[in-house]
Amino acid sequence: MTHLDDSTALTSGAVHGEGLDARLVVDHGPFRLDIALTAAPGDVVALLGPNGAGKTTALRALAGLAPLTAGHLRLDGTELGRTPPESRPVGVVFQDYLLFPHLTALDNVAFGPRCHGATKAEARAQAAAWLDRMGLADHAGAKPRRLSGGQGQRVALARALATHPRLLLLDEPLAALDARTRLEVRAQLRRHLADFEAVAVLVTHDPLDAMVLADRLVVVEHGRIVQEGTPADIARRPRTDYVAQLVGLNLYKGRATGHTVHLDAGPAITTTEDLTGPVFVAFPPGAVTLFRDRPTGASARNLWRCEVTGLETHGDQIRAALTGELPLTADLTTVAAAELDLHPGAPVWATVKAAQTHAYPA
Amino acid sequence: MTETLKGGPRRGRLRKGTRGVPLPLLVPALAGLAFLVLPLIALLVRTPWRTLPDQLTSPEVWEALRLSLFCATAATALSLVIGVPLAWLLARTDFPGRRLVRALVTLPLVLPPVVGGVALLLALGRNGVVGQWLDSWFGITLPFTTAGVVLAETFVAMPFLVISVEGTLRAADPRYEEAATTLGASRFTAFRRVTLPLIAQGIAAGAVLAWARALGEFGATITFAGNFPGRTQTMPLAVYLALQNDPAAAIALSLVLLAVSIAVLVGLRDRWMTAS
């Protein structure tokens, strides 16, 4: 396998760009997906977005299951935009795995190699090796309905990898699992993806899955890319409300003059950054301090009169949603929440230290 | 699919209570039941049980039974070969006029079988639209042959198979075929190695239904293939003929067909008798 990959690198990598270079335009009734995706071999890219954003459509377009309306799809320099799915070097792990129910785990994995011309014995030997690698050698003879969710996921991954794809697609790979299995499977999947030498694209609506599994996040909303970057970059500098909510930040857009940012809707925020022009300001809910009465002696900067609209437990903390001068979320301890007598409708004063805000150009 | 079927009988066993059935419904319901069951009881009552073994072992009965079983099986096999792909086409592809094609496929279900026989004669008869060429080019004559019986039965029975398989295909998840194509399977390979095994039960049920329909086929057969003992005289034809001059033989033959029908019903009970 290794020498084969090396030769691919020599022939195609030298002439064309290796990896994935795609612009996917798919019209689906009134909905239009239009995104550009590039990735180098070894990259793991996560398409992150709310339901209905077009993530799965993008994945289907990459696999050849949804035809491109326009755009292109180049993989290791070869144009695949019009290639039928069975001729694309693309492997897919479907959301509910879609393991063939009438075949054993071994024959599910052997299916791909068989279709690629291997004899039955060869295909089975390869499949057995893949299952072994996934730690599933004991379950080779089991039908899919006898497998647990985590085992099914690994069989699906082995089945997709057994065709040696140059592009691996994973559709919500952890969505079908319960919370406990999820943690374990996520760690395993991360290891397998790290070993994978070609491009992997995964679709998820779970920011944690995306951040743990991917090197790069591409946030899709309404069929468009709204932000892309490393998980750390996106977590620090969200550019839409959706992303801010995902990473748990309060996000505002405004116009900066020096250390003051005048928000488009609402009051001003004082920041430590010295900027001019349109900016985003973000701060974590933990940076907010709440008071029952207007704090005396405190400076009037970054102090807003608000009202509690909702409370929910968030780990060992209480997360309060506030409206008023500035809509925001604030985290506080259960004890603090009790002392403040927080309840929906309660008036509070909220304050944030300038040092805990973060402003960056929009 | 098996899940929902399994759910059926369990719910059916719940006592729904019979106290509240209004008389205007109960009386016609019982009359309807009697109407369906009475003829079968009459058949059993009037069966000459003493002479039955002799009747059933007579060479004429055996010949007709053998021919019936052979032709019905051959018609079912032919229906499978051309009917399952037709069902796939109807369920999995979208082409202009698909609704019309579907209507044409279902037409033999409602067409009087005699009309089917006449139509077959006009198409495949010695002077038929296609038949004249078959005759002059290949020397093949279909009417009034055993092959003609198979064709007549296929014409009448295949729609049952197509409709049944199409329904099963529509209920089956087409994404399994997609998964197969992403693994490198052509659409045909995906059909053969994934779809076909997944809908095997539906195909079997459709085949049994078609087989039962072919076994009882009368009108199209007698019109297109005639009534020649040993060659085209199947059980239903033999029953009809026997009724004219040997009623006891007709009853014996009918009893055999009833037994076959019950066997079919038992074989299909999971599919057709759990509608509750």
Side-chain angles (χ1 to χ4, degrees), chain B residues 22-61:
Chain B
L23 225 52
L25 289 180
L26 187 62
V27 173
L30 291 178
L33 182 64
F35 176 71
L36 291 177
V37 175
L38 199 63
L40 301 180
I41 293 175
L43 184 63
L44 292 176
V45 168
R46 285 298 170 85
T47 298
W49 295 103
R50 230 164 11 86
T51 57
L52 192 64
D54 294 337
Q55 295 279 6
L56 289 183
T57 48
S58 81
E60 292 81 19
V61 170

mmCIF file of all heavy atoms in Angstrom, chain B residues 22-61:
data_model
loop_
_atom_site.group_PDB
_atom_site.id
_atom_site.type_symbol
_atom_site.label_atom_id
_atom_site.label_comp_id
_atom_site.label_asym_id
_atom_site.label_seq_id
_atom_site.Cartn_x
_atom_site.Cartn_y
_atom_site.Cartn_z
ATOM 1 N N PRO B 22 -73.639 -3.579 15.889
ATOM 2 C CA PRO B 22 -75.051 -3.351 15.566
ATOM 3 C C PRO B 22 -75.568 -4.410 14.604
ATOM 4 O O PRO B 22 -74.844 -4.856 13.713
ATOM 5 C CB PRO B 22 -75.051 -1.973 14.892
ATOM 6 C CG PRO B 22 -73.641 -1.499 14.907
ATOM 7 C CD PRO B 22 -72.746 -2.609 15.292
ATOM 8 N N LEU B 23 -76.819 -4.795 14.805
ATOM 9 C CA LEU B 23 -77.445 -5.840 14.005
ATOM 10 C C LEU B 23 -77.381 -5.571 12.494
ATOM 11 O O LEU B 23 -77.086 -6.482 11.715
ATOM 12 C CB LEU B 23 -78.909 -6.018 14.452
ATOM 13 C CG LEU B 23 -79.360 -7.484 14.620
ATOM 14 C CD1 LEU B 23 -78.410 -8.252 15.518
ATOM 15 C CD2 LEU B 23 -80.791 -7.535 15.147
ATOM 16 N N PRO B 24 -77.652 -4.327 12.050
ATOM 17 C CA PRO B 24 -77.596 -4.055 10.602
ATOM 18 C C PRO B 24 -76.222 -4.314 9.983
ATOM 19 O O PRO B 24 -76.092 -4.404 8.773
ATOM 20 C CB PRO B 24 -77.959 -2.577 10.490
ATOM 21 C CG PRO B 24 -78.656 -2.253 11.755
ATOM 22 C CD PRO B 24 -78.097 -3.153 12.808
ATOM 23 N N LEU B 25 -75.192 -4.381 10.844
ATOM 24 C CA LEU B 25 -73.873 -4.722 10.318
ATOM 25 C C LEU B 25 -73.588 -6.204 10.468
ATOM 26 O O LEU B 25 -72.979 -6.833 9.609
ATOM 27 C CB LEU B 25 -72.789 -3.919 11.048
ATOM 28 C CG LEU B 25 -72.729 -2.424 10.735
ATOM 29 C CD1 LEU B 25 -71.613 -1.761 11.521
ATOM 30 C CD2 LEU B 25 -72.527 -2.202 9.245
ATOM 31 N N LEU B 26 -74.043 -6.750 11.611
ATOM 32 C CA LEU B 26 -73.719 -8.142 11.925
ATOM 33 C C LEU B 26 -74.370 -9.096 10.921
ATOM 34 O O LEU B 26 -73.727 -10.021 10.427
ATOM 35 C CB LEU B 26 -74.191 -8.468 13.353
ATOM 36 C CG LEU B 26 -73.753 -9.843 13.879
ATOM 37 C CD1 LEU B 26 -72.240 -9.929 13.947
ATOM 38 C CD2 LEU B 26 -74.379 -10.121 15.233
ATOM 39 N N VAL B 27 -75.633 -8.870 10.603
ATOM 40 C CA VAL B 27 -76.367 -9.798 9.726
ATOM 41 C C VAL B 27 -75.739 -9.869 8.333
ATOM 42 O O VAL B 27 -75.409 -10.960 7.856
ATOM 43 C CB VAL B 27 -77.865 -9.430 9.669
ATOM 44 C CG1 VAL B 27 -78.582 -10.275 8.622
ATOM 45 C CG2 VAL B 27 -78.496 -9.602 11.047
ATOM 46 N N PRO B 28 -75.540 -8.728 7.653
ATOM 47 C CA PRO B 28 -74.886 -8.823 6.334
ATOM 48 C C PRO B 28 -73.484 -9.390 6.412
ATOM 49 O O PRO B 28 -73.058 -10.101 5.495
ATOM 50 C CB PRO B 28 -74.848 -7.384 5.830
ATOM 51 C CG PRO B 28 -75.556 -6.558 6.812
ATOM 52 C CD PRO B 28 -75.907 -7.363 7.999
ATOM 53 N N ALA B 29 -72.786 -9.101 7.507
ATOM 54 C CA ALA B 29 -71.427 -9.624 7.641
ATOM 55 C C ALA B 29 -71.447 -11.144 7.677
ATOM 56 O O ALA B 29 -70.655 -11.806 7.002
ATOM 57 C CB ALA B 29 -70.776 -9.067 8.911
ATOM 58 N N LEU B 30 -72.371 -11.700 8.467
ATOM 59 C CA LEU B 30 -72.475 -13.159 8.551
ATOM 60 C C LEU B 30 -72.923 -13.743 7.213
ATOM 61 O O LEU B 30 -72.451 -14.801 6.796
ATOM 62 C CB LEU B 30 -73.447 -13.555 9.665
ATOM 63 C CG LEU B 30 -72.932 -13.256 11.081
ATOM 64 C CD1 LEU B 30 -73.979 -13.637 12.126
ATOM 65 C CD2 LEU B 30 -71.618 -13.983 11.342
ATOM 66 N N ALA B 31 -73.851 -13.043 6.532
ATOM 67 C CA ALA B 31 -74.300 -13.496 5.215
ATOM 68 C C ALA B 31 -73.121 -13.528 4.248
ATOM 69 O O ALA B 31 -72.960 -14.479 3.473
ATOM 70 C CB ALA B 31 -75.397 -12.566 4.680
ATOM 71 N N GLY B 32 -72.284 -12.494 4.313
ATOM 72 C CA GLY B 32 -71.108 -12.434 3.442
ATOM 73 C C GLY B 32 -70.176 -13.594 3.702
ATOM 74 O O GLY B 32 -69.679 -14.248 2.775
ATOM 75 N N LEU B 33 -69.954 -13.864 4.989
ATOM 76 C CA LEU B 33 -69.080 -14.975 5.357
ATOM 77 C C LEU B 33 -69.646 -16.295 4.829
ATOM 78 O O LEU B 33 -68.926 -17.091 4.207
ATOM 79 C CB LEU B 33 -68.935 -15.017 6.881
ATOM 80 C CG LEU B 33 -68.010 -16.106 7.425
ATOM 81 C CD1 LEU B 33 -66.579 -15.862 6.959
ATOM 82 C CD2 LEU B 33 -68.081 -16.154 8.944
ATOM 83 N N ALA B 34 -70.955 -16.500 5.048
ATOM 84 C CA ALA B 34 -71.608 -17.728 4.599
ATOM 85 C C ALA B 34 -71.506 -17.882 3.085
ATOM 86 O O ALA B 34 -71.225 -18.967 2.574
ATOM 87 C CB ALA B 34 -73.080 -17.721 5.023
ATOM 88 N N PHE B 35 -71.686 -16.755 2.394
ATOM 89 C CA PHE B 35 -71.644 -16.776 0.936
ATOM 90 C C PHE B 35 -70.287 -17.267 0.435
ATOM 91 O O PHE B 35 -70.195 -17.982 -0.561
ATOM 92 C CB PHE B 35 -71.934 -15.370 0.404
ATOM 93 C CG PHE B 35 -71.824 -15.264 -1.086
ATOM 94 C CD1 PHE B 35 -72.781 -15.851 -1.914
ATOM 95 C CD2 PHE B 35 -70.763 -14.606 -1.668
ATOM 96 C CE1 PHE B 35 -72.674 -15.772 -3.281
ATOM 97 C CE2 PHE B 35 -70.643 -14.516 -3.044
ATOM 98 C CZ PHE B 35 -71.605 -15.100 -3.856
ATOM 99 N N LEU B 36 -69.233 -16.870 1.134
ATOM 100 C CA LEU B 36 -67.895 -17.262 0.697
ATOM 101 C C LEU B 36 -67.562 -18.697 1.091
ATOM 102 O O LEU B 36 -66.865 -19.407 0.363
ATOM 103 C CB LEU B 36 -66.838 -16.314 1.287
ATOM 104 C CG LEU B 36 -66.868 -14.882 0.740
ATOM 105 C CD1 LEU B 36 -65.840 -14.024 1.440
ATOM 106 C CD2 LEU B 36 -66.618 -14.883 -0.764
ATOM 107 N N VAL B 37 -68.067 -19.118 2.241
ATOM 108 C CA VAL B 37 -67.662 -20.423 2.771
ATOM 109 C C VAL B 37 -68.560 -21.554 2.268
ATOM 110 O O VAL B 37 -68.096 -22.666 2.034
ATOM 111 C CB VAL B 37 -67.645 -20.379 4.319
ATOM 112 C CG1 VAL B 37 -67.344 -21.750 4.896
ATOM 113 C CG2 VAL B 37 -66.604 -19.370 4.787
ATOM 114 N N LEU B 38 -69.857 -21.241 2.078
ATOM 115 C CA LEU B 38 -70.827 -22.279 1.727
ATOM 116 C C LEU B 38 -70.431 -23.104 0.499
ATOM 117 O O LEU B 38 -70.471 -24.342 0.543
ATOM 118 C CB LEU B 38 -72.212 -21.636 1.517
ATOM 119 C CG LEU B 38 -73.386 -22.620 1.608
ATOM 120 C CD1 LEU B 38 -73.471 -23.221 3.009
ATOM 121 C CD2 LEU B 38 -74.693 -21.924 1.234
ATOM 122 N N PRO B 39 -70.036 -22.473 -0.623
ATOM 123 C CA PRO B 39 -69.676 -23.270 -1.804
ATOM 124 C C PRO B 39 -68.554 -24.259 -1.523
ATOM 125 O O PRO B 39 -68.562 -25.387 -2.030
ATOM 126 C CB PRO B 39 -69.229 -22.223 -2.819
ATOM 127 C CG PRO B 39 -69.898 -20.964 -2.391
ATOM 128 C CD PRO B 39 -69.984 -21.039 -0.901
ATOM 129 N N LEU B 40 -67.593 -23.825 -0.690
ATOM 130 C CA LEU B 40 -66.475 -24.716 -0.383
ATOM 131 C C LEU B 40 -66.958 -25.907 0.439
ATOM 132 O O LEU B 40 -66.518 -27.040 0.230
ATOM 133 C CB LEU B 40 -65.389 -23.950 0.372
ATOM 134 C CG LEU B 40 -64.817 -22.748 -0.374
ATOM 135 C CD1 LEU B 40 -63.749 -22.044 0.463
ATOM 136 C CD2 LEU B 40 -64.222 -23.197 -1.706
ATOM 137 N N ILE B 41 -67.877 -25.609 1.373
ATOM 138 C CA ILE B 41 -68.435 -26.701 2.175
ATOM 139 C C ILE B 41 -69.198 -27.668 1.260
ATOM 140 O O ILE B 41 -69.069 -28.893 1.378
ATOM 141 C CB ILE B 41 -69.352 -26.141 3.276
ATOM 142 C CG1 ILE B 41 -68.496 -25.350 4.284
ATOM 143 C CG2 ILE B 41 -70.107 -27.259 3.983
ATOM 144 C CD1 ILE B 41 -69.294 -24.646 5.354
ATOM 145 N N ALA B 42 -69.980 -27.092 0.334
ATOM 146 C CA ALA B 42 -70.742 -27.930 -0.606
ATOM 147 C C ALA B 42 -69.817 -28.846 -1.388
ATOM 148 O O ALA B 42 -70.117 -30.028 -1.602
ATOM 149 C CB ALA B 42 -71.540 -27.038 -1.555
ATOM 150 N N LEU B 43 -68.679 -28.285 -1.779
ATOM 151 C CA LEU B 43 -67.701 -29.076 -2.529
ATOM 152 C C LEU B 43 -67.239 -30.270 -1.708
ATOM 153 O O LEU B 43 -67.166 -31.401 -2.204
ATOM 154 C CB LEU B 43 -66.507 -28.182 -2.905
ATOM 155 C CG LEU B 43 -65.428 -28.807 -3.782
ATOM 156 C CD1 LEU B 43 -65.983 -29.184 -5.140
ATOM 157 C CD2 LEU B 43 -64.267 -27.836 -3.949
ATOM 158 N N LEU B 44 -66.978 -30.002 -0.420
ATOM 159 C CA LEU B 44 -66.514 -31.085 0.452
ATOM 160 C C LEU B 44 -67.631 -32.089 0.700
ATOM 161 O O LEU B 44 -67.400 -33.303 0.725
ATOM 162 C CB LEU B 44 -66.010 -30.504 1.782
ATOM 163 C CG LEU B 44 -64.734 -29.668 1.682
ATOM 164 C CD1 LEU B 44 -64.388 -29.072 3.037
ATOM 165 C CD2 LEU B 44 -63.576 -30.526 1.169
ATOM 166 N N VAL B 45 -68.880 -31.586 0.878
ATOM 167 C CA VAL B 45 -70.017 -32.465 1.171
ATOM 168 C C VAL B 45 -70.280 -33.415 0.015
ATOM 169 O O VAL B 45 -70.518 -34.606 0.201
ATOM 170 C CB VAL B 45 -71.276 -31.621 1.482
ATOM 171 C CG1 VAL B 45 -72.526 -32.505 1.497
ATOM 172 C CG2 VAL B 45 -71.110 -30.907 2.815
ATOM 173 N N ARG B 46 -70.225 -32.893 -1.200
ATOM 174 C CA ARG B 46 -70.571 -33.685 -2.364
ATOM 175 C C ARG B 46 -69.398 -34.482 -2.946
ATOM 176 O O ARG B 46 -69.543 -35.149 -3.952
ATOM 177 C CB ARG B 46 -71.145 -32.780 -3.463
ATOM 178 C CG ARG B 46 -72.553 -32.333 -3.179
ATOM 179 C CD ARG B 46 -73.497 -33.532 -3.110
ATOM 180 N NE ARG B 46 -74.808 -33.179 -2.604
ATOM 181 C CZ ARG B 46 -75.790 -32.703 -3.356
ATOM 182 N NH1 ARG B 46 -75.596 -32.535 -4.640
ATOM 183 N NH2 ARG B 46 -76.953 -32.411 -2.822
ATOM 184 N N THR B 47 -68.241 -34.366 -2.305
ATOM 185 C CA THR B 47 -67.103 -35.126 -2.812
ATOM 186 C C THR B 47 -67.351 -36.627 -2.654
ATOM 187 O O THR B 47 -67.686 -37.079 -1.558
ATOM 188 C CB THR B 47 -65.822 -34.741 -2.051
ATOM 189 O OG1 THR B 47 -65.568 -33.373 -2.280
ATOM 190 C CG2 THR B 47 -64.628 -35.566 -2.512
ATOM 191 N N PRO B 48 -67.229 -37.388 -3.729
ATOM 192 C CA PRO B 48 -67.392 -38.850 -3.629
ATOM 193 C C PRO B 48 -66.152 -39.463 -3.003
ATOM 194 O O PRO B 48 -65.257 -39.951 -3.706
ATOM 195 C CB PRO B 48 -67.561 -39.277 -5.091
ATOM 196 C CG PRO B 48 -66.861 -38.227 -5.879
ATOM 197 C CD PRO B 48 -66.914 -36.975 -5.098
ATOM 198 N N TRP B 49 -66.070 -39.342 -1.660
ATOM 199 C CA TRP B 49 -64.843 -39.731 -0.967
ATOM 200 C C TRP B 49 -64.438 -41.169 -1.250
ATOM 201 O O TRP B 49 -63.252 -41.485 -1.273
ATOM 202 C CB TRP B 49 -65.003 -39.534 0.556
ATOM 203 C CG TRP B 49 -65.177 -38.087 0.924
ATOM 204 C CD1 TRP B 49 -66.353 -37.475 1.258
ATOM 205 C CD2 TRP B 49 -64.169 -37.090 0.954
ATOM 206 N NE1 TRP B 49 -66.138 -36.154 1.499
ATOM 207 C CE2 TRP B 49 -64.789 -35.881 1.319
ATOM 208 C CE3 TRP B 49 -62.797 -37.083 0.706
ATOM 209 C CZ2 TRP B 49 -64.111 -34.694 1.439
ATOM 210 C CZ3 TRP B 49 -62.117 -35.901 0.841
ATOM 211 C CH2 TRP B 49 -62.769 -34.713 1.197
ATOM 212 N N ARG B 50 -65.489 -42.066 -1.467
ATOM 213 C CA ARG B 50 -65.188 -43.491 -1.652
ATOM 214 C C ARG B 50 -64.426 -43.740 -2.951
ATOM 215 O O ARG B 50 -63.451 -44.477 -2.984
ATOM 216 C CB ARG B 50 -66.493 -44.299 -1.643
ATOM 217 C CG ARG B 50 -66.448 -45.480 -0.695
ATOM 218 C CD ARG B 50 -67.815 -46.070 -0.367
ATOM 219 N NE ARG B 50 -68.927 -45.589 -1.199
ATOM 220 C CZ ARG B 50 -69.245 -46.139 -2.385
ATOM 221 N NH1 ARG B 50 -68.575 -47.164 -2.857
ATOM 222 N NH2 ARG B 50 -70.255 -45.659 -3.072
ATOM 223 N N THR B 51 -64.880 -43.050 -3.994
ATOM 224 C CA THR B 51 -64.244 -43.290 -5.299
ATOM 225 C C THR B 51 -63.101 -42.293 -5.562
ATOM 226 O O THR B 51 -62.468 -42.338 -6.616
ATOM 227 C CB THR B 51 -65.268 -43.158 -6.440
ATOM 228 O OG1 THR B 51 -65.847 -41.853 -6.365
ATOM 229 C CG2 THR B 51 -66.361 -44.199 -6.324
ATOM 230 N N LEU B 52 -62.867 -41.406 -4.574
ATOM 231 C CA LEU B 52 -61.876 -40.345 -4.788
ATOM 232 C C LEU B 52 -60.494 -40.885 -5.165
ATOM 233 O O LEU B 52 -59.876 -40.401 -6.121
ATOM 234 C CB LEU B 52 -61.789 -39.452 -3.543
ATOM 235 C CG LEU B 52 -61.009 -38.155 -3.750
ATOM 236 C CD1 LEU B 52 -61.704 -37.273 -4.763
ATOM 237 C CD2 LEU B 52 -60.827 -37.418 -2.437
ATOM 238 N N PRO B 53 -59.977 -41.899 -4.417
ATOM 239 C CA PRO B 53 -58.648 -42.410 -4.783
ATOM 240 C C PRO B 53 -58.563 -42.840 -6.235
ATOM 241 O O PRO B 53 -57.578 -42.522 -6.918
ATOM 242 C CB PRO B 53 -58.457 -43.601 -3.836
ATOM 243 C CG PRO B 53 -59.328 -43.287 -2.673
ATOM 244 C CD PRO B 53 -60.525 -42.553 -3.235
ATOM 245 N N ASP B 54 -59.613 -43.501 -6.730
ATOM 246 C CA ASP B 54 -59.597 -43.934 -8.132
ATOM 247 C C ASP B 54 -59.586 -42.735 -9.069
ATOM 248 O O ASP B 54 -58.835 -42.694 -10.048
ATOM 249 C CB ASP B 54 -60.834 -44.797 -8.441
ATOM 250 C CG ASP B 54 -60.791 -46.106 -7.668
ATOM 251 O OD1 ASP B 54 -59.654 -46.496 -7.302
ATOM 252 O OD2 ASP B 54 -61.849 -46.697 -7.414
ATOM 253 N N GLN B 55 -60.452 -41.753 -8.758
ATOM 254 C CA GLN B 55 -60.537 -40.564 -9.591
ATOM 255 C C GLN B 55 -59.178 -39.869 -9.698
ATOM 256 O O GLN B 55 -58.739 -39.464 -10.773
ATOM 257 C CB GLN B 55 -61.539 -39.560 -8.992
ATOM 258 C CG GLN B 55 -62.981 -40.060 -8.964
ATOM 259 C CD GLN B 55 -63.649 -39.882 -10.312
ATOM 260 O OE1 GLN B 55 -62.998 -39.488 -11.274
ATOM 261 N NE2 GLN B 55 -64.927 -40.225 -10.379
ATOM 262 N N LEU B 56 -58.546 -39.718 -8.511
ATOM 263 C CA LEU B 56 -57.307 -38.939 -8.476
ATOM 264 C C LEU B 56 -56.145 -39.656 -9.143
ATOM 265 O O LEU B 56 -55.185 -39.027 -9.560
ATOM 266 C CB LEU B 56 -56.937 -38.596 -7.023
ATOM 267 C CG LEU B 56 -57.851 -37.566 -6.361
ATOM 268 C CD1 LEU B 56 -57.356 -37.238 -4.958
ATOM 269 C CD2 LEU B 56 -57.941 -36.297 -7.192
ATOM 270 N N THR B 57 -56.224 -40.981 -9.198
ATOM 271 C CA THR B 57 -55.104 -41.709 -9.792
ATOM 272 C C THR B 57 -55.333 -42.005 -11.269
ATOM 273 O O THR B 57 -54.505 -42.627 -11.903
ATOM 274 C CB THR B 57 -54.839 -43.029 -9.036
ATOM 275 O OG1 THR B 57 -56.098 -43.700 -8.873
ATOM 276 C CG2 THR B 57 -54.207 -42.780 -7.690
ATOM 277 N N SER B 58 -56.460 -41.526 -11.806
ATOM 278 C CA SER B 58 -56.695 -41.768 -13.232
ATOM 279 C C SER B 58 -55.684 -40.994 -14.065
ATOM 280 O O SER B 58 -55.284 -39.894 -13.687
ATOM 281 C CB SER B 58 -58.117 -41.349 -13.611
ATOM 282 O OG SER B 58 -58.162 -39.962 -13.816
ATOM 283 N N PRO B 59 -55.249 -41.585 -15.207
ATOM 284 C CA PRO B 59 -54.205 -40.946 -16.012
ATOM 285 C C PRO B 59 -54.601 -39.551 -16.489
ATOM 286 O O PRO B 59 -53.758 -38.663 -16.562
ATOM 287 C CB PRO B 59 -54.010 -41.888 -17.187
ATOM 288 C CG PRO B 59 -54.987 -42.982 -17.036
ATOM 289 C CD PRO B 59 -55.684 -42.863 -15.727
ATOM 290 N N GLU B 60 -55.918 -39.322 -16.750
ATOM 291 C CA GLU B 60 -56.338 -38.005 -17.239
ATOM 292 C C GLU B 60 -56.060 -36.925 -16.195
ATOM 293 O O GLU B 60 -55.563 -35.853 -16.519
ATOM 294 C CB GLU B 60 -57.838 -38.003 -17.595
ATOM 295 C CG GLU B 60 -58.218 -38.853 -18.789
ATOM 296 C CD GLU B 60 -58.348 -40.334 -18.440
ATOM 297 O OE1 GLU B 60 -58.510 -40.654 -17.230
ATOM 298 O OE2 GLU B 60 -58.264 -41.188 -19.349
ATOM 299 N N VAL B 61 -56.436 -37.253 -14.940
ATOM 300 C CA VAL B 61 -56.221 -36.277 -13.859
ATOM 301 C C VAL B 61 -54.744 -35.976 -13.716
ATOM 302 O O VAL B 61 -54.329 -34.821 -13.613
ATOM 303 C CB VAL B 61 -56.804 -36.815 -12.528
ATOM 304 C CG1 VAL B 61 -56.376 -35.936 -11.373
ATOM 305 C CG2 VAL B 61 -58.315 -36.904 -12.618
#
